[in-house]
Amino acid sequence: MSGPLRVLVVDDQALIRAGFSMILDSEPDIDVVGQASNGAEAIGLVRELGPDVVIMDVRMPVMDGIAATAEICSRSEAPWVLMLTTFDADDYVYDALKAGASGFLLKDTRPDDLAAAVRIVAAGEAVLAPSVTRRLVDEVGRTTVKTRELPGVADLTERESEVLVSLARGLSNAEMAEALFVSEATVKTHISHILTKLELRDRVQAVVAAYESGLVT
C-alpha cells in the first residue's frame, strides 16, 4: 500500500473523535481523512472518502456501529473496521465481529496500541484486546449451533484443518507453532492458505465460521 493509511474516525462524542484523530494524525504513516458522529454518516463518508480503515464506536444514535459495520463490510473493496467501545461486553464483541469487523479494542487502549492496531488491520490481520479473545471463543462455542455450510473445507489439508481448529480454540500463532512443532512463519502460511480456500478476510472470520459450520464444537 503506497502513501499513508487513510482512516475515518466514527464516534458520537466530539471530544473522543478529536482525541483519536490527534493521536492517529501524529503518526507519519496515518492520515485521518474524516470524522463521523454516527453510523449513517460513516456509511456516506466511506463512499465519499474511500478510507483504508474505519475506527468505529459501537453505541451511537441514528445508526449504531454494528449496523453500520455490517453495511460497510457487505460492499466490495470494503475498508477494514476496527471497533472501539467502553463496554467490555460479550454480545458486542461477537456481533461486531460477525458483522465484519477485523478488530475490537477498548477505549482505554494506549495511544501506541491504537496506532499499531490500525496498521495491523490494514495489513489484513485481526486485532482483539487480550481480555476479549478468550471470551469470544467461549461465547461462540457456548451459544453457536451449526447454521451454515463452510465452502472450501474439503480443500484444506490435514495440517490446515489442525491449524483452523487451533485458531478457533483461541490459540496464538506462537502457541500453535509450539503445539504443532513448526515455526510461526509456517503457521502464518497455513492461516493464509486457510483464508484463501475458505474465502474469508481474516482470522476472526475464520473463528466465527469454524463454529457456525460445526467444524468446531
Side-chain angles (χ1 to χ4, degrees):
M1 184 179 296
S2 61
L5 294 172
R6 296 166 55 80
V7 176
L8 174 66
V9 177
V10 186
D11 196 288
D12 63 329
Q13 298 182 50
L15 188 60
I16 291 178
R17 291 199 306 273
F20 288 157
S21 297
M22 186 180 302
I23 290 168
L24 295 173
D25 261 336
S26 69
E27 301 290 328
D29 60 336
I30 298 176
D31 184 16
V32 176
V33 296
Q35 299 180 27
S37 62
N38 61 63
E41 287 183 11
I43 291 171
L45 287 177
V46 165
R47 294 186 188 125
E48 178 183 344
L49 302 173
D52 301 305
V53 178
V54 178
I55 307 293
M56 183 78 76
D57 189 20
V58 172
R59 301 183 74 178
M60 295 180 291
V62 184
M63 176 183 282
D64 66 43
I66 294 173
T69 296
E71 172 67 21
I72 289 168
C73 292
S74 69
R75 302 169 181 272
S76 61
E77 300 184 1
W80 306 100
V81 177
L82 179 61
M83 306 297 296
L84 282 157
T85 184
T86 54
F87 299 91
D88 192 6
D90 292 337
D91 54 347
Y92 291 137
V93 177
Y94 182 51
D95 291 345
L97 298 177
K98 192 173 179 182
S102 295
F104 196 106
L105 294 174
L106 305 181
K107 286 185 180 178
D108 61 3
T109 298
R110 296 183 306 172
D112 288 350
D113 290 339
L114 175 63
V118 168
R119 298 184 185 101
I120 291 170
V121 296
E125 298 291 335
V127 176
L128 287 176
S131 63
V132 168
T133 307
R134 296 290 181 177
R135 287 191 1 266
L136 170 65
V137 173
D138 290 343
E139 177 71 9
V140 175
R142 185 175 70 250
T143 63
T144 304
V145 295
K146 182 172 181 178
T147 58
R148 64 187 176 100
E149 297 297 324
L150 190 58
V153 169
D155 296 327
L156 297 178
T157 65
E158 182 176 352
R159 180 46 60 90
E160 287 166 355
S161 295
E162 288 178 322
V163 169
L164 178 56
V165 170
S166 297
L167 190 65
R169 289 177 175 156
L171 272 65
S172 66
N173 287 358
E175 289 170 332
M176 283 187 276
E178 182 178 359
L180 299 174
F181 303 103
V182 297
S183 68
E184 287 190 51
T186 298
V187 170
K188 290 180 180 179
T189 299
H190 286 316
I191 292 174
S192 177
H193 290 165
I194 291 167
L195 298 180
T196 298
K197 291 179 179 180
L198 302 186
E199 300 181 359
L200 301 171
R201 292 184 77 187
D202 56 45
R203 60 193 294 149
V204 173
Q205 286 194 348
V207 171
V208 174
Y211 278 101
E212 289 188 336
S213 67
L215 183 64
V216 179
T217 57

